[in-house]
């Protein structure tokens, strides 16, 4: 099957490694077959690289259905079993509303406003004291 933005192998969404974190950026609609392949790619990459976190950037996604919501939940569950945490970043309000209306709770997923926040959340959790004392925030 050719056309669209998928290559012949079906790997349409790259899984990038940034240190101990994997970054996946979704743009536009993700077809069911590509979503299933992505889920497998993420699990294999975590297992092969001992990554401790996964950031799924959905800022380019305008519409989500129950299948894609389930894929997010399954990615988070698989990642957790492989000792990695998943954060979904950049969710648009319409996507969040749709997920709620579909009744999808997405257990195991944390959310962040953007990719930078997600990376901070994951690196803070996985590298305590690696760069000296943490900053103190005034309450």
């Amino acid at each position: 099957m050719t056309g669209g933005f998928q290559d012949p192998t079906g790997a349409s969404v790259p899984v990038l490694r940034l240190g101990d974190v994997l970054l996946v950026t979704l743009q536009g609609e993700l077809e069911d077959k590509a979503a299933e392949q992505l889920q497998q790619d993420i699990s294999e990459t975590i297992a092969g690289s001992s990554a401790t976190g996964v950031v799924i950037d959905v800022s380019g996604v305008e519409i989500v259905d129950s299948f894609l919501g389930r894929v997010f939940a399954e990615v988070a569950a698989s990642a957790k079993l492989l000792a990695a945490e998943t954060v979904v970043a950049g969710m648009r309000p319409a996507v969040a509303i749709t997920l709620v209306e579909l009744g999808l709770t997405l257990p195991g997923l944390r959310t962040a406003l953007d990719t930078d926040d997600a990376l901070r959340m994951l690196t803070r959790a996985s590298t305590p004291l690696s760069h000296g004392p943490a900053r103190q925030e005034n309450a």
Side-chain angles (χ1 to χ4, degrees), residues 75-89:
V75 164
S78 296
K80 186 131 183 114
L81 288 172
L82 295 168
E85 189 174 353
T86 304
V87 179
V88 173

Side-chain angles (χ1 to χ4, degrees), residues 31 48 59 102 116 136:
E31 294 188 19
S59 59
L102 292 171
D116 288 338
Q136 297 282 332

Side-chain angles (χ1 to χ4, degrees), residues 5-6 9-10 14 16 19 23 25 27 63 69 72 87 89 96 106 111 117:
F5 294 100
Q6 290 186 342
T9 65
L16 305 174
L23 175 62
T25 302
Q27 297 294 321
I63 298 172
F72 291 160
V87 179
L106 306 179
T111 58
D117 285 344

Side-chain angles (χ1 to χ4, degrees), residues 36-57:
E36 290 171 351
Q37 183 64 50
L38 176 63
Q39 184 177 354
Q40 182 177 346
D41 291 347
I42 291 171
S43 294
E44 289 175 0
T45 305
I46 291 170
S49 68
S50 54
T52 58
V54 178
V55 174
I56 303 174
D57 178 3

Side-chain angles (χ1 to χ4, degrees), residues 86-112:
T86 304
V87 179
V88 173
M91 189 175 299
R92 296 173 186 245
V95 171
I97 290 168
T98 301
L99 291 172
V100 170
E101 287 174 349
L102 292 171
L104 298 174
T105 57
L106 306 179
L109 277 179
R110 294 173 59 192
T111 58

